[in-house]
Amino acid sequence: GSHFRRVNFQPGEGAAMRGGLLRHASVLTVTSYATRTSPVIRGKWVLENLIGTPPSPPEPDVPALDDSKVSESLPIRQRLAAHRNKPACASCHEFIDPPGFALENFDAIGRWRDMEGDHPVDASGGLPDGSFFDGVAGLERGLLARPEVFAGTLTGRLMTFALGRGIEPSDGPAIRQALARAKPEDYRFSAIILGIVNSTPFKMRESP
């Protein structure tokens, strides 16, 4: 029909395929190219928006991946290997790509897949803290292992929105205080919001 309906996934019936921000088609689509996934874009999105450690911009003389020189029949991990083999590219891609590889079970528009063409999907990935895992569930566990990291990134983004300006070093104490107040409540969204609206930068902000 044309109406939304609640769907409950039971273990083994697609529970690993759907649910949560990382499995949302909008995120998976906007971090892909039109015809293929991009572990680089997806990894950068995770690092920047969930962990708060955006990678450095590429050097101006670093060449882009030339798809015309790599067989399209190869899995994306092997196609990117040709790019990662270049010394100028390797150091950054070792940091960016692993979180993106963990999302490879989702194609360019967010559909679940176990095969990439004729090859089984390799969704093994990792995080900058040195943890390694397989698939989106492992990525979620890795992020939840240090909830203060994601909560800190979220608090900074919400503070930016609340103040209507970028975060300054002087805002650091207020962000840390909001996090400290939210920790006893397991960083509930409502607790973070209360910490922001009760912070000095928010209460003392000036109108433009």
Side-chain angles (χ1 to χ4, degrees), residues 90-114:
S91 60
C92 288
H93 281 278
E94 288 175 357
F95 177 70
I96 300 171
D97 295 355
F101 282 137
L103 299 172
E104 273 297 288
N105 277 121
F106 300 97
D107 69 9
I109 59 172
R111 293 176 302 192
W112 182 269
R113 60 181 182 175
D114 293 307

Side-chain angles (χ1 to χ4, degrees), residues 33 35-36 64-72 76 79-80:
Y33 292 114
T35 58
R36 67 168 175 84
L65 176 64
D66 188 351
D67 285 333
S68 65
K69 295 183 179 180
V70 183
S71 173
E72 293 186 2
I76 188 62
R79 294 166 69 184
L80 282 173

Side-chain angles (χ1 to χ4, degrees), residues 113-164:
R113 60 181 182 175
D114 293 307
M115 301 291 292
E116 182 183 357
D118 297 328
H119 305 276
V121 168
D122 181 357
S124 56
L127 286 171
D129 62 6
S131 59
F132 294 95
F133 41 75
D134 187 69
V136 62
L139 177 56
E140 286 176 334
R141 288 192 296 270
L143 294 171
L144 291 174
R146 298 178 62 194
E148 71 282 357
V149 175
F150 169 69
T153 304
L154 175 63
T155 303
R157 295 301 179 91
L158 291 173
M159 185 73 82
T160 298
F161 178 79
L163 301 179

Side-chain angles (χ1 to χ4, degrees), residues 174-192:
I175 292 175
R176 290 191 292 271
Q177 187 175 49
L179 277 174
R181 290 177 175 175
K183 183 177 180 179
E185 298 185 46
D186 293 326
Y187 302 107
R188 290 178 62 88
F189 189 75
S190 58
I192 294 174

